[in-house]
Amino acid sequence: MLISEKLKSNRVCTSFEVFPPKNDMPFEPVKNAVCELSAFSPDYISVTYGAGGGTSKNTPEIVSFIQDELHIPSVAHLTCASSTKEEIDVILNELKSRGIKNILALRGDIPDGVQPDDNHYRYASELITKIREFDCFSVGAACYPECHTQAKNSVEDLMHLKHKVDCGAEYLITQMFFDNSALYSFLYRALKVGIDVPVVAGIMPVINRKQIVRSCSLSGATLPSKFRIMLDRFSDEPESLRQAGIAYATEQIIDLISNGVSNIHIYTMNKPEVAGKIIENLSSIL
Ligand code: FAD
């Protein structure tokens, strides 16, 4: 099932992101996590791709497991910064031969000391163009409501995003954000420049302080004062912070759905119990 088709429906669409095992680590814990997630009937599950050999070779295996054994549509993330064009060709042929139909095309982070050359796709847009040549994949891409951390400014970032859509990205999944008004403003600006593909809101339930510090330094997401106060109040009480983080994510999703944002993607961090609590909180709404 093509994700681009699923996202065309008017109903609320929920999905999860998981990461595959690190190379040479067992598959079992990740497979168990996705089995548990499957009980919440997500519309699809996406599987990240660890650049630089981190987890990349295990992504197709987990995607195949989700779609072939659990019968849930799945999306393979694919990054291009740390692979040559020839290596990308090999990976795309593997995905095709496994019957994988959905790819989230990403640049990935450029490894330290590496200078992208003609042997590499420099931006996600170039990877998207390549994937479209295969004529058998539905392609999504990433977007950044609060601007990509390396972009010169938000106007240029938006023009680069428009280019990704023009190259064939059929839907966009957002970077995590904790202030819904950042997403609403982004959606407005995106429409104004002609980006009219579905935008899927990426929600990160924050359940510990270490995670939030790391996530924010990587993503550049701003923390609303309501969120900071919650972190300060509960930072020394792990169980309370976990409960508050789940409640915050739930509230964020209710506000999004109330305002017409119907595609919700939960960054599960391979913790089915957290994603499950959120889905449970939304049971009547979904
Ligand atoms: P691009 O769209 O190529 O943009 C990168 C930067 O280059 C931006 O600042 C953009 O404005 C700029 N740019 C684009 N085109 C041009 C141009 N022609 N000229 C000049 N500047 C340009 N990382 C992983 O390693 N594995 C994953 O599985 C993964 N999954 C992700 C899922 C989501 C939903 C998101 C939001 C991010 C994910 N990432 C993942 C992180 C992502 O790889 C990084 O954020 C990366 O730095 C940018 O990737 P991109 O595809 O958005 O890049």
Side-chain angles (χ1 to χ4, degrees), residues 1-2 45 47 58-68 73-77 91-104 131 134 136-138:
M1 174 87 195
L2 299 184
I45 298 177
V47 185
N58 294 337
T59 299
E61 167 87 22
I62 297 293
V63 172
S64 293
F65 175 74
I66 295 168
Q67 63 175 37
D68 300 339
S74 187
V75 180
H77 294 208
I91 299 165
L92 288 172
N93 277 305
E94 183 193 348
L95 297 177
K96 183 179 173 185
S97 67
R98 282 177 177 267
I100 292 169
K101 298 260 180 276
N102 299 291
I103 299 179
L104 190 72
I131 298 172
F134 275 69
C136 62
F137 297 114
S138 165

PDB file of all heavy atoms in Angstrom, residues 1-2 45 47 58-68 73-77 91-104 131 134 136-138:
ATOM      1  N   MET A   1       0.853  -1.212   0.000  1.00  0.00           N
ATOM      2  CA  MET A   1       0.000   0.000   0.000  1.00  0.00           C
ATOM      3  C   MET A   1       0.885   1.258   0.000  1.00  0.00           C
ATOM      4  O   MET A   1       1.813   1.367   0.794  1.00  0.00           O
ATOM      5  CB  MET A   1      -0.862  -0.031   1.278  1.00  0.00           C
ATOM      6  CG  MET A   1      -1.686   1.205   1.522  1.00  0.00           C
ATOM      7  SD  MET A   1      -3.261   1.085   0.677  1.00  0.00           S
ATOM      8  CE  MET A   1      -3.873   2.744   0.707  1.00  0.00           C
ATOM      9  N   LEU A   2       0.581   2.161  -0.907  1.00  0.00           N
ATOM     10  CA  LEU A   2       1.388   3.380  -0.989  1.00  0.00           C
ATOM     11  C   LEU A   2       0.934   4.377   0.089  1.00  0.00           C
ATOM     12  O   LEU A   2      -0.257   4.665   0.217  1.00  0.00           O
ATOM     13  CB  LEU A   2       1.248   4.019  -2.362  1.00  0.00           C
ATOM     14  CG  LEU A   2       1.698   3.169  -3.563  1.00  0.00           C
ATOM     15  CD1 LEU A   2       1.591   3.967  -4.847  1.00  0.00           C
ATOM     16  CD2 LEU A   2       3.122   2.651  -3.358  1.00  0.00           C
ATOM     17  N   ILE A  45       4.155   2.139   9.600  1.00  0.00           N
ATOM     18  CA  ILE A  45       5.284   2.283  10.527  1.00  0.00           C
ATOM     19  C   ILE A  45       6.514   2.601   9.684  1.00  0.00           C
ATOM     20  O   ILE A  45       6.780   1.912   8.684  1.00  0.00           O
ATOM     21  CB  ILE A  45       5.525   0.982  11.331  1.00  0.00           C
ATOM     22  CG1 ILE A  45       4.301   0.641  12.195  1.00  0.00           C
ATOM     23  CG2 ILE A  45       6.776   1.112  12.212  1.00  0.00           C
ATOM     24  CD1 ILE A  45       4.417  -0.670  12.988  1.00  0.00           C
ATOM     25  N   VAL A  47      10.749   3.169   9.372  1.00  0.00           N
ATOM     26  CA  VAL A  47      11.955   2.621  10.003  1.00  0.00           C
ATOM     27  C   VAL A  47      13.150   3.490   9.613  1.00  0.00           C
ATOM     28  O   VAL A  47      13.436   3.669   8.412  1.00  0.00           O
ATOM     29  CB  VAL A  47      12.208   1.165   9.548  1.00  0.00           C
ATOM     30  CG1 VAL A  47      13.404   0.579  10.304  1.00  0.00           C
ATOM     31  CG2 VAL A  47      10.964   0.298   9.756  1.00  0.00           C
ATOM     32  N   ASN A  58      20.219  -2.912   8.370  1.00  0.00           N
ATOM     33  CA  ASN A  58      19.096  -3.601   9.029  1.00  0.00           C
ATOM     34  C   ASN A  58      17.730  -2.980   8.730  1.00  0.00           C
ATOM     35  O   ASN A  58      16.706  -3.565   9.058  1.00  0.00           O
ATOM     36  CB  ASN A  58      19.327  -3.630  10.540  1.00  0.00           C
ATOM     37  CG  ASN A  58      20.539  -4.480  10.888  1.00  0.00           C
ATOM     38  OD1 ASN A  58      20.922  -5.348  10.096  1.00  0.00           O
ATOM     39  ND2 ASN A  58      21.140  -4.246  12.034  1.00  0.00           N
ATOM     40  N   THR A  59      17.732  -1.803   8.128  1.00  0.00           N
ATOM     41  CA  THR A  59      16.445  -1.142   7.856  1.00  0.00           C
ATOM     42  C   THR A  59      15.545  -1.981   6.927  1.00  0.00           C
ATOM     43  O   THR A  59      14.381  -2.223   7.263  1.00  0.00           O
ATOM     44  CB  THR A  59      16.682   0.274   7.268  1.00  0.00           C
ATOM     45  OG1 THR A  59      17.395   1.033   8.241  1.00  0.00           O
ATOM     46  CG2 THR A  59      15.382   0.984   6.940  1.00  0.00           C
ATOM     47  N   PRO A  60      16.068  -2.471   5.775  1.00  0.00           N
ATOM     48  CA  PRO A  60      15.191  -3.231   4.883  1.00  0.00           C
ATOM     49  C   PRO A  60      14.598  -4.474   5.550  1.00  0.00           C
ATOM     50  O   PRO A  60      13.430  -4.811   5.322  1.00  0.00           O
ATOM     51  CB  PRO A  60      16.113  -3.634   3.719  1.00  0.00           C
ATOM     52  CG  PRO A  60      17.239  -2.669   3.761  1.00  0.00           C
ATOM     53  CD  PRO A  60      17.413  -2.296   5.201  1.00  0.00           C
ATOM     54  N   GLU A  61      15.393  -5.105   6.410  1.00  0.00           N
ATOM     55  CA  GLU A  61      14.912  -6.331   7.079  1.00  0.00           C
ATOM     56  C   GLU A  61      13.703  -6.027   7.976  1.00  0.00           C
ATOM     57  O   GLU A  61      12.697  -6.738   7.974  1.00  0.00           O
ATOM     58  CB  GLU A  61      16.081  -6.898   7.906  1.00  0.00           C
ATOM     59  CG  GLU A  61      15.723  -7.960   8.907  1.00  0.00           C
ATOM     60  CD  GLU A  61      15.711  -9.356   8.322  1.00  0.00           C
ATOM     61  OE1 GLU A  61      16.360  -9.537   7.288  1.00  0.00           O
ATOM     62  OE2 GLU A  61      15.030 -10.238   8.891  1.00  0.00           O
ATOM     63  N   ILE A  62      13.789  -4.927   8.723  1.00  0.00           N
ATOM     64  CA  ILE A  62      12.674  -4.577   9.619  1.00  0.00           C
ATOM     65  C   ILE A  62      11.459  -4.116   8.803  1.00  0.00           C
ATOM     66  O   ILE A  62      10.318  -4.462   9.106  1.00  0.00           O
ATOM     67  CB  ILE A  62      13.093  -3.479  10.641  1.00  0.00           C
ATOM     68  CG1 ILE A  62      14.211  -4.005  11.552  1.00  0.00           C
ATOM     69  CG2 ILE A  62      11.921  -3.015  11.485  1.00  0.00           C
ATOM     70  CD1 ILE A  62      13.803  -5.131  12.502  1.00  0.00           C
ATOM     71  N   VAL A  63      11.713  -3.373   7.738  1.00  0.00           N
ATOM     72  CA  VAL A  63      10.588  -2.925   6.887  1.00  0.00           C
ATOM     73  C   VAL A  63       9.880  -4.151   6.291  1.00  0.00           C
ATOM     74  O   VAL A  63       8.644  -4.238   6.310  1.00  0.00           O
ATOM     75  CB  VAL A  63      11.078  -1.972   5.771  1.00  0.00           C
ATOM     76  CG1 VAL A  63       9.968  -1.662   4.778  1.00  0.00           C
ATOM     77  CG2 VAL A  63      11.605  -0.673   6.379  1.00  0.00           C
ATOM     78  N   SER A  64      10.656  -5.102   5.801  1.00  0.00           N
ATOM     79  CA  SER A  64      10.052  -6.321   5.229  1.00  0.00           C
ATOM     80  C   SER A  64       9.244  -7.055   6.288  1.00  0.00           C
ATOM     81  O   SER A  64       8.138  -7.535   6.016  1.00  0.00           O
ATOM     82  CB  SER A  64      11.132  -7.283   4.705  1.00  0.00           C
ATOM     83  OG  SER A  64      11.772  -6.722   3.605  1.00  0.00           O
ATOM     84  N   PHE A  65       9.794  -7.138   7.501  1.00  0.00           N
ATOM     85  CA  PHE A  65       9.079  -7.834   8.585  1.00  0.00           C
ATOM     86  C   PHE A  65       7.725  -7.164   8.835  1.00  0.00           C
ATOM     87  O   PHE A  65       6.693  -7.827   8.951  1.00  0.00           O
ATOM     88  CB  PHE A  65       9.944  -7.813   9.856  1.00  0.00           C
ATOM     89  CG  PHE A  65       9.272  -8.400  11.061  1.00  0.00           C
ATOM     90  CD1 PHE A  65       9.101  -9.775  11.181  1.00  0.00           C
ATOM     91  CD2 PHE A  65       8.786  -7.579  12.082  1.00  0.00           C
ATOM     92  CE1 PHE A  65       8.460 -10.320  12.298  1.00  0.00           C
ATOM     93  CE2 PHE A  65       8.143  -8.124  13.196  1.00  0.00           C
ATOM     94  CZ  PHE A  65       7.987  -9.493  13.302  1.00  0.00           C
ATOM     95  N   ILE A  66       7.728  -5.827   8.904  1.00  0.00           N
ATOM     96  CA  ILE A  66       6.480  -5.100   9.209  1.00  0.00           C
ATOM     97  C   ILE A  66       5.441  -5.325   8.105  1.00  0.00           C
ATOM     98  O   ILE A  66       4.279  -5.611   8.377  1.00  0.00           O
ATOM     99  CB  ILE A  66       6.764  -3.590   9.395  1.00  0.00           C
ATOM    100  CG1 ILE A  66       7.641  -3.375  10.635  1.00  0.00           C
ATOM    101  CG2 ILE A  66       5.475  -2.790   9.501  1.00  0.00           C
ATOM    102  CD1 ILE A  66       8.211  -1.968  10.762  1.00  0.00           C
ATOM    103  N   GLN A  67       5.895  -5.215   6.852  1.00  0.00           N
ATOM    104  CA  GLN A  67       4.873  -5.311   5.786  1.00  0.00           C
ATOM    105  C   GLN A  67       4.514  -6.762   5.446  1.00  0.00           C
ATOM    106  O   GLN A  67       3.355  -7.054   5.157  1.00  0.00           O
ATOM    107  CB  GLN A  67       5.258  -4.501   4.553  1.00  0.00           C
ATOM    108  CG  GLN A  67       6.521  -4.953   3.843  1.00  0.00           C
ATOM    109  CD  GLN A  67       6.771  -4.168   2.559  1.00  0.00           C
ATOM    110  OE1 GLN A  67       6.501  -2.973   2.501  1.00  0.00           O
ATOM    111  NE2 GLN A  67       7.271  -4.839   1.537  1.00  0.00           N
ATOM    112  N   ASP A  68       5.494  -7.674   5.525  1.00  0.00           N
ATOM    113  CA  ASP A  68       5.204  -9.041   5.083  1.00  0.00           C
ATOM    114  C   ASP A  68       4.672  -9.928   6.203  1.00  0.00           C
ATOM    115  O   ASP A  68       3.842 -10.802   5.960  1.00  0.00           O
ATOM    116  CB  ASP A  68       6.460  -9.689   4.473  1.00  0.00           C
ATOM    117  CG  ASP A  68       6.961  -8.895   3.273  1.00  0.00           C
ATOM    118  OD1 ASP A  68       6.149  -8.129   2.700  1.00  0.00           O
ATOM    119  OD2 ASP A  68       8.145  -9.009   2.924  1.00  0.00           O
ATOM    120  N   PRO A  73       1.522  -1.456   6.314  1.00  0.00           N
ATOM    121  CA  PRO A  73       2.394  -0.725   5.387  1.00  0.00           C
ATOM    122  C   PRO A  73       3.597  -0.141   6.127  1.00  0.00           C
ATOM    123  O   PRO A  73       3.491   0.252   7.296  1.00  0.00           O
ATOM    124  CB  PRO A  73       1.485   0.393   4.846  1.00  0.00           C
ATOM    125  CG  PRO A  73       0.101  -0.104   5.057  1.00  0.00           C
ATOM    126  CD  PRO A  73       0.148  -0.956   6.303  1.00  0.00           C
ATOM    127  N   SER A  74       4.729  -0.117   5.453  1.00  0.00           N
ATOM    128  CA  SER A  74       5.942   0.362   6.121  1.00  0.00           C
ATOM    129  C   SER A  74       6.748   1.259   5.185  1.00  0.00           C
ATOM    130  O   SER A  74       6.670   1.122   3.963  1.00  0.00           O
ATOM    131  CB  SER A  74       6.765  -0.845   6.573  1.00  0.00           C
ATOM    132  OG  SER A  74       7.845  -0.417   7.364  1.00  0.00           O
ATOM    133  N   VAL A  75       7.512   2.149   5.780  1.00  0.00           N
ATOM    134  CA  VAL A  75       8.319   3.107   5.018  1.00  0.00           C
ATOM    135  C   VAL A  75       9.786   2.920   5.389  1.00  0.00           C
ATOM    136  O   VAL A  75      10.121   2.938   6.583  1.00  0.00           O
ATOM    137  CB  VAL A  75       7.919   4.563   5.371  1.00  0.00           C
ATOM    138  CG1 VAL A  75       8.752   5.566   4.575  1.00  0.00           C
ATOM    139  CG2 VAL A  75       6.438   4.791   5.132  1.00  0.00           C
ATOM    140  N   ALA A  76      10.639   2.775   4.397  1.00  0.00           N
ATOM    141  CA  ALA A  76      12.082   2.687   4.650  1.00  0.00           C
ATOM    142  C   ALA A  76      12.677   4.079   4.536  1.00  0.00           C
ATOM    143  O   ALA A  76      12.584   4.717   3.483  1.00  0.00           O
ATOM    144  CB  ALA A  76      12.729   1.755   3.628  1.00  0.00           C
ATOM    145  N   HIS A  77      13.291   4.581   5.618  1.00  0.00           N
ATOM    146  CA  HIS A  77      14.051   5.828   5.497  1.00  0.00           C
ATOM    147  C   HIS A  77      15.332   5.491   4.723  1.00  0.00           C
ATOM    148  O   HIS A  77      15.871   4.391   4.843  1.00  0.00           O
ATOM    149  CB  HIS A  77      14.458   6.373   6.864  1.00  0.00           C
ATOM    150  CG  HIS A  77      13.294   6.814   7.722  1.00  0.00           C
ATOM    151  ND1 HIS A  77      13.415   7.804   8.675  1.00  0.00           N
ATOM    152  CD2 HIS A  77      12.006   6.414   7.778  1.00  0.00           C
ATOM    153  CE1 HIS A  77      12.254   7.988   9.277  1.00  0.00           C
ATOM    154  NE2 HIS A  77      11.379   7.138   8.759  1.00  0.00           N
ATOM    155  N   ILE A  91      21.277  -0.162  -2.908  1.00  0.00           N
ATOM    156  CA  ILE A  91      20.240  -0.185  -1.855  1.00  0.00           C
ATOM    157  C   ILE A  91      18.846  -0.112  -2.494  1.00  0.00           C
ATOM    158  O   ILE A  91      17.930  -0.839  -2.111  1.00  0.00           O
ATOM    159  CB  ILE A  91      20.433   0.991  -0.863  1.00  0.00           C
ATOM    160  CG1 ILE A  91      21.797   0.872  -0.182  1.00  0.00           C
ATOM    161  CG2 ILE A  91      19.329   1.009   0.180  1.00  0.00           C
ATOM    162  CD1 ILE A  91      22.248   2.146   0.520  1.00  0.00           C
ATOM    163  N   LEU A  92      18.690   0.771  -3.492  1.00  0.00           N
ATOM    164  CA  LEU A  92      17.365   0.909  -4.120  1.00  0.00           C
ATOM    165  C   LEU A  92      16.953  -0.397  -4.802  1.00  0.00           C
ATOM    166  O   LEU A  92      15.791  -0.799  -4.744  1.00  0.00           O
ATOM    167  CB  LEU A  92      17.367   2.074  -5.117  1.00  0.00           C
ATOM    168  CG  LEU A  92      17.421   3.464  -4.465  1.00  0.00           C
ATOM    169  CD1 LEU A  92      17.610   4.554  -5.518  1.00  0.00           C
ATOM    170  CD2 LEU A  92      16.148   3.730  -3.663  1.00  0.00           C
ATOM    171  N   ASN A  93      17.918  -1.073  -5.402  1.00  0.00           N
ATOM    172  CA  ASN A  93      17.594  -2.362  -6.040  1.00  0.00           C
ATOM    173  C   ASN A  93      17.214  -3.397  -4.993  1.00  0.00           C
ATOM    174  O   ASN A  93      16.324  -4.218  -5.219  1.00  0.00           O
ATOM    175  CB  ASN A  93      18.766  -2.846  -6.908  1.00  0.00           C
ATOM    176  CG  ASN A  93      18.708  -2.181  -8.278  1.00  0.00           C
ATOM    177  OD1 ASN A  93      17.689  -2.261  -8.974  1.00  0.00           O
ATOM    178  ND2 ASN A  93      19.773  -1.493  -8.654  1.00  0.00           N
ATOM    179  N   GLU A  94      17.863  -3.334  -3.829  1.00  0.00           N
ATOM    180  CA  GLU A  94      17.494  -4.279  -2.765  1.00  0.00           C
ATOM    181  C   GLU A  94      16.065  -3.995  -2.292  1.00  0.00           C
ATOM    182  O   GLU A  94      15.250  -4.904  -2.129  1.00  0.00           O
ATOM    183  CB  GLU A  94      18.463  -4.191  -1.572  1.00  0.00           C
ATOM    184  CG  GLU A  94      18.078  -5.233  -0.528  1.00  0.00           C
ATOM    185  CD  GLU A  94      18.728  -5.090   0.837  1.00  0.00           C
ATOM    186  OE1 GLU A  94      19.685  -4.308   0.981  1.00  0.00           O
ATOM    187  OE2 GLU A  94      18.246  -5.784   1.772  1.00  0.00           O
ATOM    188  N   LEU A  95      15.753  -2.703  -2.077  1.00  0.00           N
ATOM    189  CA  LEU A  95      14.404  -2.349  -1.619  1.00  0.00           C
ATOM    190  C   LEU A  95      13.364  -2.810  -2.637  1.00  0.00           C
ATOM    191  O   LEU A  95      12.329  -3.374  -2.286  1.00  0.00           O
ATOM    192  CB  LEU A  95      14.295  -0.836  -1.378  1.00  0.00           C
ATOM    193  CG  LEU A  95      15.189  -0.249  -0.270  1.00  0.00           C
ATOM    194  CD1 LEU A  95      15.021   1.273  -0.191  1.00  0.00           C
ATOM    195  CD2 LEU A  95      14.883  -0.874   1.082  1.00  0.00           C
ATOM    196  N   LYS A  96      13.689  -2.595  -3.909  1.00  0.00           N
ATOM    197  CA  LYS A  96      12.752  -2.992  -4.973  1.00  0.00           C
ATOM    198  C   LYS A  96      12.557  -4.513  -4.964  1.00  0.00           C
ATOM    199  O   LYS A  96      11.425  -5.003  -5.030  1.00  0.00           O
ATOM    200  CB  LYS A  96      13.320  -2.530  -6.324  1.00  0.00           C
ATOM    201  CG  LYS A  96      12.407  -2.814  -7.486  1.00  0.00           C
ATOM    202  CD  LYS A  96      13.019  -2.316  -8.781  1.00  0.00           C
ATOM    203  CE  LYS A  96      12.181  -2.768  -9.962  1.00  0.00           C
ATOM    204  NZ  LYS A  96      12.798  -2.396 -11.232  1.00  0.00           N
ATOM    205  N   SER A  97      13.658  -5.256  -4.846  1.00  0.00           N
ATOM    206  CA  SER A  97      13.526  -6.716  -4.932  1.00  0.00           C
ATOM    207  C   SER A  97      12.794  -7.274  -3.706  1.00  0.00           C
ATOM    208  O   SER A  97      12.193  -8.331  -3.768  1.00  0.00           O
ATOM    209  CB  SER A  97      14.887  -7.391  -5.118  1.00  0.00           C
ATOM    210  OG  SER A  97      15.645  -7.219  -3.955  1.00  0.00           O
ATOM    211  N   ARG A  98      12.805  -6.550  -2.590  1.00  0.00           N
ATOM    212  CA  ARG A  98      12.044  -6.985  -1.417  1.00  0.00           C
ATOM    213  C   ARG A  98      10.569  -6.593  -1.506  1.00  0.00           C
ATOM    214  O   ARG A  98       9.788  -6.869  -0.610  1.00  0.00           O
ATOM    215  CB  ARG A  98      12.625  -6.344  -0.151  1.00  0.00           C
ATOM    216  CG  ARG A  98      13.896  -6.993   0.367  1.00  0.00           C
ATOM    217  CD  ARG A  98      14.387  -6.211   1.565  1.00  0.00           C
ATOM    218  NE  ARG A  98      15.562  -6.767   2.193  1.00  0.00           N
ATOM    219  CZ  ARG A  98      15.549  -7.623   3.222  1.00  0.00           C
ATOM    220  NH1 ARG A  98      14.400  -8.033   3.721  1.00  0.00           N
ATOM    221  NH2 ARG A  98      16.674  -8.062   3.747  1.00  0.00           N
ATOM    222  N   GLY A  99      10.209  -5.861  -2.524  1.00  0.00           N
ATOM    223  CA  GLY A  99       8.818  -5.426  -2.666  1.00  0.00           C
ATOM    224  C   GLY A  99       8.476  -4.238  -1.776  1.00  0.00           C
ATOM    225  O   GLY A  99       7.310  -3.973  -1.474  1.00  0.00           O
ATOM    226  N   ILE A 100       9.512  -3.509  -1.341  1.00  0.00           N
ATOM    227  CA  ILE A 100       9.274  -2.322  -0.510  1.00  0.00           C
ATOM    228  C   ILE A 100       8.874  -1.167  -1.430  1.00  0.00           C
ATOM    229  O   ILE A 100       9.526  -0.913  -2.444  1.00  0.00           O
ATOM    230  CB  ILE A 100      10.545  -1.994   0.322  1.00  0.00           C
ATOM    231  CG1 ILE A 100      10.748  -3.100   1.362  1.00  0.00           C
ATOM    232  CG2 ILE A 100      10.450  -0.607   0.966  1.00  0.00           C
ATOM    233  CD1 ILE A 100      12.076  -3.067   2.087  1.00  0.00           C
ATOM    234  N   LYS A 101       7.776  -0.502  -1.068  1.00  0.00           N
ATOM    235  CA  LYS A 101       7.193   0.480  -1.996  1.00  0.00           C
ATOM    236  C   LYS A 101       7.332   1.918  -1.515  1.00  0.00           C
ATOM    237  O   LYS A 101       7.092   2.849  -2.272  1.00  0.00           O
ATOM    238  CB  LYS A 101       5.683   0.210  -2.143  1.00  0.00           C
ATOM    239  CG  LYS A 101       5.334  -1.133  -2.729  1.00  0.00           C
ATOM    240  CD  LYS A 101       5.003  -0.956  -4.199  1.00  0.00           C
ATOM    241  CE  LYS A 101       4.637  -2.240  -4.891  1.00  0.00           C
ATOM    242  NZ  LYS A 101       5.796  -2.983  -5.342  1.00  0.00           N
ATOM    243  N   ASN A 102       7.648   2.100  -0.224  1.00  0.00           N
ATOM    244  CA  ASN A 102       7.628   3.451   0.348  1.00  0.00           C
ATOM    245  C   ASN A 102       8.995   3.835   0.896  1.00  0.00           C
ATOM    246  O   ASN A 102       9.562   3.102   1.718  1.00  0.00           O
ATOM    247  CB  ASN A 102       6.603   3.511   1.482  1.00  0.00           C
ATOM    248  CG  ASN A 102       5.197   3.192   0.981  1.00  0.00           C
ATOM    249  OD1 ASN A 102       4.612   3.980   0.239  1.00  0.00           O
ATOM    250  ND2 ASN A 102       4.674   2.037   1.357  1.00  0.00           N
ATOM    251  N   ILE A 103       9.481   4.989   0.456  1.00  0.00           N
ATOM    252  CA  ILE A 103      10.788   5.465   0.919  1.00  0.00           C
ATOM    253  C   ILE A 103      10.654   6.897   1.429  1.00  0.00           C
ATOM    254  O   ILE A 103      10.005   7.738   0.788  1.00  0.00           O
ATOM    255  CB  ILE A 103      11.832   5.440  -0.227  1.00  0.00           C
ATOM    256  CG1 ILE A 103      12.021   3.996  -0.741  1.00  0.00           C
ATOM    257  CG2 ILE A 103      13.175   6.006   0.244  1.00  0.00           C
ATOM    258  CD1 ILE A 103      13.022   3.874  -1.887  1.00  0.00           C
ATOM    259  N   LEU A 104      11.253   7.173   2.600  1.00  0.00           N
ATOM    260  CA  LEU A 104      11.395   8.553   3.055  1.00  0.00           C
ATOM    261  C   LEU A 104      12.812   8.973   2.673  1.00  0.00           C
ATOM    262  O   LEU A 104      13.789   8.446   3.219  1.00  0.00           O
ATOM    263  CB  LEU A 104      11.179   8.660   4.567  1.00  0.00           C
ATOM    264  CG  LEU A 104      11.079  10.099   5.080  1.00  0.00           C
ATOM    265  CD1 LEU A 104       9.753  10.751   4.666  1.00  0.00           C
ATOM    266  CD2 LEU A 104      11.228  10.164   6.594  1.00  0.00           C
ATOM    267  N   ILE A 131      15.310   8.296  -7.004  1.00  0.00           N
ATOM    268  CA  ILE A 131      14.321   7.264  -6.616  1.00  0.00           C
ATOM    269  C   ILE A 131      13.161   7.248  -7.604  1.00  0.00           C
ATOM    270  O   ILE A 131      12.664   6.196  -7.993  1.00  0.00           O
ATOM    271  CB  ILE A 131      13.799   7.524  -5.172  1.00  0.00           C
ATOM    272  CG1 ILE A 131      14.950   7.433  -4.166  1.00  0.00           C
ATOM    273  CG2 ILE A 131      12.713   6.533  -4.802  1.00  0.00           C
ATOM    274  CD1 ILE A 131      14.578   7.867  -2.745  1.00  0.00           C
ATOM    275  N   PHE A 134      13.204   5.071 -10.675  1.00  0.00           N
ATOM    276  CA  PHE A 134      12.873   3.646 -10.553  1.00  0.00           C
ATOM    277  C   PHE A 134      11.397   3.385 -10.883  1.00  0.00           C
ATOM    278  O   PHE A 134      11.015   2.271 -11.183  1.00  0.00           O
ATOM    279  CB  PHE A 134      13.193   3.130  -9.138  1.00  0.00           C
ATOM    280  CG  PHE A 134      14.622   2.701  -8.969  1.00  0.00           C
ATOM    281  CD1 PHE A 134      15.650   3.639  -8.978  1.00  0.00           C
ATOM    282  CD2 PHE A 134      14.954   1.361  -8.822  1.00  0.00           C
ATOM    283  CE1 PHE A 134      16.972   3.242  -8.830  1.00  0.00           C
ATOM    284  CE2 PHE A 134      16.269   0.956  -8.673  1.00  0.00           C
ATOM    285  CZ  PHE A 134      17.278   1.900  -8.674  1.00  0.00           C
ATOM    286  N   CYS A 136       8.835   2.887  -9.151  1.00  0.00           N
ATOM    287  CA  CYS A 136       8.092   1.863  -8.399  1.00  0.00           C
ATOM    288  C   CYS A 136       7.961   2.231  -6.926  1.00  0.00           C
ATOM    289  O   CYS A 136       7.480   1.435  -6.141  1.00  0.00           O
ATOM    290  CB  CYS A 136       8.763   0.498  -8.550  1.00  0.00           C
ATOM    291  SG  CYS A 136      10.431   0.450  -7.905  1.00  0.00           S
ATOM    292  N   PHE A 137       8.422   3.423  -6.547  1.00  0.00           N
ATOM    293  CA  PHE A 137       8.379   3.805  -5.131  1.00  0.00           C
ATOM    294  C   PHE A 137       7.508   5.051  -4.931  1.00  0.00           C
ATOM    295  O   PHE A 137       7.483   5.940  -5.784  1.00  0.00           O
ATOM    296  CB  PHE A 137       9.784   4.158  -4.619  1.00  0.00           C
ATOM    297  CG  PHE A 137      10.766   3.020  -4.659  1.00  0.00           C
ATOM    298  CD1 PHE A 137      11.864   3.062  -5.514  1.00  0.00           C
ATOM    299  CD2 PHE A 137      10.611   1.911  -3.829  1.00  0.00           C
ATOM    300  CE1 PHE A 137      12.782   2.018  -5.547  1.00  0.00           C
ATOM    301  CE2 PHE A 137      11.533   0.863  -3.847  1.00  0.00           C
ATOM    302  CZ  PHE A 137      12.620   0.915  -4.710  1.00  0.00           C
ATOM    303  N   SER A 138       6.835   5.070  -3.773  1.00  0.00           N
ATOM    304  CA  SER A 138       6.201   6.308  -3.329  1.00  0.00           C
ATOM    305  C   SER A 138       7.221   7.002  -2.422  1.00  0.00           C
ATOM    306  O   SER A 138       7.837   6.358  -1.570  1.00  0.00           O
ATOM    307  CB  SER A 138       4.922   5.964  -2.554  1.00  0.00           C
ATOM    308  OG  SER A 138       4.469   7.079  -1.837  1.00  0.00           O
TER     309      SER A 138
END
